[in-house]
Structure formats: structure tokens, C-alpha cells
Amino acid sequence: MILLLHRISILFLIKPLVPNLKSKLDILFTGWFGPIGVAAFYYAQFSMIETGIEQLWLLSV
């Protein structure tokens, strides 16, 4: 519970400094999965788009 509340509350505080956090949903998503989870999601989607191989998405999730 501490980790959940800690990350999300910090993100709400630094929202003016991070232009990519546009909505509350963005903050909740980033706070829940953390920077490593968001990066993994991004790289899985990026590699699927670049290679066209949808199996990469299935393997990474």
C-alpha cells in the first residue's frame, strides 16, 4: 500500500514538470506500473510496430 500511494502521490506532485503526464489516467497508469513497467510496454509496442511481428507483443506481456 505504501508503494502504491507513494509513487502515485509523487507523480501528482511533479505533474507540472513532466509534460507527458497529461491526464489523471496517465498518472495512475505510470504510478501503478512504475517506470520499468511503462518502458517495457513501450518497447514491446515499438518493436511490434517496427518489425510487424505480433508475436513479440505476446512474448513480452
Side-chain angles (χ1 to χ4, degrees):
M1 190 67 146
I2 291 173
L3 292 175
L4 173 68
L5 294 175
H6 182 258
R7 272 193 287 191
I8 292 175
S9 61
I10 294 296
L11 286 172
F12 273 111
L13 289 173
I14 65 169
K15 181 183 178 192
L17 303 173
V18 183
N20 291 337
L21 296 175
K22 297 178 182 168
S23 69
K24 289 181 182 179
L25 187 59
D26 291 339
I27 293 172
L28 291 174
F29 181 81
T30 305
W32 179 258
F33 289 107
I36 294 171
V38 173
F41 179 77
Y42 169 78
Y43 285 124
Q45 188 148 6
F46 178 77
S47 55
M48 184 186 76
I49 291 169
E50 290 294 316
T51 63
I53 301 172
E54 291 186 22
Q55 292 172 341
L56 292 172
W57 178 254
L58 296 175
L59 294 174
S60 64
V61 175

